Amino acid sequence: MAEGAELVGESAHQDMPRVVAALAGILERVAGRNDAAATPAELAAAPASPFRATAKPGISVRAYAARIARFAGCSPACYVVAYIYLDRLLRRGRRCLALALAVDSYSVHRLLITAVLSAVKFMDDICYNNAYFAKVGGISLAEMNYLEVDFLFGVGFDLNVTPETFADYCAVLQSEMLCAAALPPRLHYCCLSEDDAGSSSSSSLREAAMEAS
């Protein structure tokens, strides 16, 4: 997958691959926007989800992504595929209220570790097991197993990624990388989809990055 070649090198500002820094930047903006938009009443009424923590984790999205990149040992392509899976999850959530989930500070960390776990199992020939990923993500093995199953049902077990889709998402991440190098961090309208962009807080990550470029 030559389209992702520019994403393999390390970020100039973080000790992690550029693809990881780009994905973390998108997720951080999405979570920040949704945090700012949510009222206390909306937070209290948020639907129960295994991805939703009871308290905000004490580690930033970028630091968490850097930890995953350091210890997970997966190929850079896995992060592109993880991004695609997250987009699919949110797109299906827009169509089914039972699956709806906002990407915010309460959910973004668990979504990220589960998306990477799902991607590495699909993409890489050799990978660490769920117990190892649970330690990397700071959760129990039982939680990791449950999150993986819930995530797979959430994406409808749609794990295949065409070369065209992979190239499209590589382009979005490359745009995010260029914006991060040229401009200071900004809060954008953030959403995650392989199709149209919705107006809800859980729509398309891909649109979020495209609006930032």
Side-chain angles (χ1 to χ4, degrees):
M1 294 182 177
E3 295 86 352
E6 295 180 17
L7 297 171
V8 174
E10 288 190 351
S11 167
H13 304 290
Q14 290 108 354
D15 184 21
M16 58 176 145
R18 286 180 288 180
V19 63
V20 181
L23 178 57
I26 294 171
L27 290 172
E28 202 166 54
R29 270 206 319 281
V30 172
R33 175 189 178 271
N34 289 335
D35 285 347
T39 65
E42 289 173 334
L43 288 175
S49 168
F51 293 102
R52 203 166 172 77
T54 55
K56 293 182 180 180
I59 184 172
S60 70
V61 177
R62 289 179 184 273
Y64 194 71
R67 175 180 171 82
I68 295 172
R70 179 182 179 186
F71 293 108
C74 54
S75 64
C78 288
Y79 297 99
V80 181
V81 173
Y83 179 26
I84 295 170
Y85 290 170
L86 287 169
D87 229 10
R88 289 177 179 174
L89 179 73
L90 297 189
R91 181 185 54 183
R92 283 173 57 85
R94 296 210 314 272
R95 296 172 180 171
C96 177
L97 291 179
L99 299 174
L101 176 67
V103 178
D104 57 21
S105 293
Y106 292 89
S107 64
V108 64
H109 298 78
R110 292 185 177 199
L111 285 169
L112 178 57
I113 188 68
T114 312
V116 173
L117 172 65
S118 301
V120 72
K121 286 187 175 182
F122 189 79
M123 293 291 295
D124 290 355
D125 294 328
I126 300 174
C127 64
Y128 291 109
N129 60 21
N130 284 27
Y132 182 86
F133 267 85
K135 290 182 180 179
V136 172
I139 57 178
S140 69
L141 174 58
E143 285 178 301
M144 188 76 265
N145 291 340
Y146 190 82
L147 289 172
E148 180 186 21
V149 173
D150 200 76
F151 189 89
L152 292 174
F153 275 99
V155 298
F157 292 88
D158 182 13
L159 301 179
N160 189 52
V161 176
T162 65
E164 294 76 16
T165 297
F166 186 89
D168 286 345
Y169 280 79
C170 278
V172 174
L173 289 168
Q174 286 168 348
S175 295
E176 169 70 18
M177 188 175 62
L178 292 173
C179 286
L183 299 171
R186 297 175 297 167
L187 181 64
H188 294 274
Y189 176 79
C190 299
C191 45
L192 271 162
S193 156
E194 291 175 57
D195 50 9
D196 58 311
S199 59
S200 69
S201 62
S202 62
S203 44
S204 164
L205 274 182
R206 179 177 163 191
E207 279 302 317
M210 292 176 71
E211 291 194 10
S213 60

